[in-house]
Amino acid sequence: MYLITPRPALILCLLYCSQPLAQSTNIRDCDDGATYPADNNPERFIGVCRLEGSTSTFTYDDTVPQQGEIQFTVRSCSTWWGEICEHAIPYTATTTGDNNGNNFILRRDRGNQTAEIRLAYSSGGSTETLNPATNGSQLFPGAANGAHTPASITVTMVDPGTNLRNGIYSGTFELTIDQCGGSYTWGVDPEACDGRYATTELLNLTFHIELRIRSRIRIHGLDDMFLTATTEGQKAARHSASGPPATRCFASLPTVRTGVASSYCGESIWCPIRQKSSTCPAPGWKH
């Protein structure tokens, strides 16, 4: 009987070729990944700043598709036992969350109504619409020396103008970032980026989205209605198609005689001679 001893290269392939080499937990989310003394801790290589655990709230606008943009930054770099995370490493982005098989959805806080949305990831001049059923494939740029690159996730309605009932529509989503790598070779710095394997992965970074739908009252046929509040806390309303709103006068009205000017709500009015006084302004109102 022969004892077969696996070769070291085969062992390395079994360990690394089918899965990412290391995983980051985003504990170093906003720094530059530098370490003194040097080590190869994967926490240094990927960091996402100002996204994890965040809640982005937007007010629904049924006149445009885009509802808002979530902005954050990403560090994606690599080093081989260097104190500085000097090499820029491109990466792919994948988002998971509540969906109906085709699109992501937000759920209303009461009832069972949902809003279908699209999420698009952008960074470094590249954009990819994130599909809930597939992993991301677009390569986004990292940056040398641990620098952070601006990134964003745009929230867009699938059907703009959808008549949604008032309330809060919300959802929880998770972002995964996979650094682009190649077949693993000890001592290679940085890894060749052939897209076959990830070198470091950041899994399931949670963020929340809220879409608020305000209550609206639409009154048709009252385009010529004016509402004016007085300092006494009362309101007067009067139809007027050609002039300013009427304002109630609370002062007593002196007697109006024909042919003379009289005080009326602090202003002078004139009732012509031989004209019936009924044609003068109605008591208690001024224009």
Side-chain angles (χ1 to χ4, degrees):
M1 179 181 293
Y2 295 96
L3 179 63
I4 300 176
T5 303
R7 295 182 179 181
L10 177 59
I11 294 175
L12 288 175
C13 186
L14 291 174
L15 290 175
Y16 298 121
C17 290
S18 62
Q19 60 184 7
L21 297 180
Q23 292 185 352
S24 168
T25 64
N26 207 42
I27 194 171
R28 299 184 63 171
D29 53 352
C30 297
D31 67 25
D32 61 3
T35 296
Y36 308 94
D39 62 29
N40 265 10
N41 189 328
E43 300 288 359
R44 304 175 58 189
F45 304 151
I46 300 179
V48 177
C49 186
R50 300 194 306 272
L51 180 67
E52 185 175 15
S54 66
T55 298
S56 299
T57 302
F58 308 109
T59 300
Y60 180 50
D61 184 349
D62 60 2
T63 65
V64 294
Q66 182 174 323
Q67 300 301 307
E69 185 178 66
I70 307 167
Q71 297 183 342
F72 50 97
T73 63
V74 175
R75 178 185 71 251
S76 182
C77 57
S78 179
T79 184
W80 183 256
W81 292 95
E83 295 178 339
I84 305 298
C85 191
E86 65 260 61
H87 300 287
I89 302 294
Y91 65 90
T92 60
T94 300
T95 299
T96 57
D98 203 358
N99 66 86
N100 59 12
N102 296 315
N103 298 296
F104 292 108
I105 60 174
L106 303 176
R107 296 187 180 276
R108 188 167 177 254
D109 55 349
R110 51 190 181 276
N112 57 4
Q113 191 175 17
T114 61
E116 293 186 66
I117 61 172
R118 291 191 180 96
L119 302 178
Y121 190 100
S122 299
S123 184
S126 298
T127 298
E128 180 180 26
T129 298
L130 303 173
N131 191 318
T134 59
N135 293 333
S137 59
Q138 172 69 47
L139 283 177
F140 298 97
N145 300 321
H148 280 248
T149 303
S152 66
I153 294 175
T154 302
V155 181
T156 304
M157 296 297 296
V158 173
D159 295 315
T162 299
N163 185 21
L164 297 174
R165 299 180 64 184
N166 67 295
I168 301 175
Y169 294 71
S170 62
T172 298
F173 304 91
E174 295 178 332
L175 174 69
T176 292
I177 286 181
D178 286 292
Q179 284 187 331
C180 178
S183 56
Y184 191 78
T185 304
W186 283 106
V188 174
D189 183 17
E191 289 300 314
C193 176
D194 60 15
R196 291 186 298 163
Y197 309 103
T199 55
T200 303
E201 183 177 56
L202 188 156
L203 285 170
N204 303 335
L205 197 68
T206 301
F207 62 97
H208 311 278
I209 297 174
E210 285 187 357
L211 187 65
R212 294 179 178 267
I213 317 295
R214 294 177 177 175
S215 299
R216 291 175 292 180
I217 300 176
R218 294 178 177 176
I219 303 177
H220 297 282
L222 296 180
D223 293 340
D224 58 346
M225 175 66 77
F226 293 93
L227 296 178
T228 303
T230 66
T231 56
E232 290 82 0
Q234 301 187 33
K235 297 181 179 179
R238 189 173 186 180
H239 290 283
S240 173
S242 60
T247 304
R248 187 68 165 130
C249 177
F250 296 96
S252 60
L253 179 66
T255 302
V256 178
R257 296 182 305 230
T258 60
V260 297
S262 301
S263 175
Y264 176 76
C265 291
E267 297 184 6
S268 179
I269 64 170
W270 181 262
C271 288
I273 297 175
R274 292 185 301 276
Q275 187 171 354
K276 294 181 179 181
S277 61
S278 61
T279 61
C280 294
W285 294 92
K286 72 174 182 178
H287 293 271

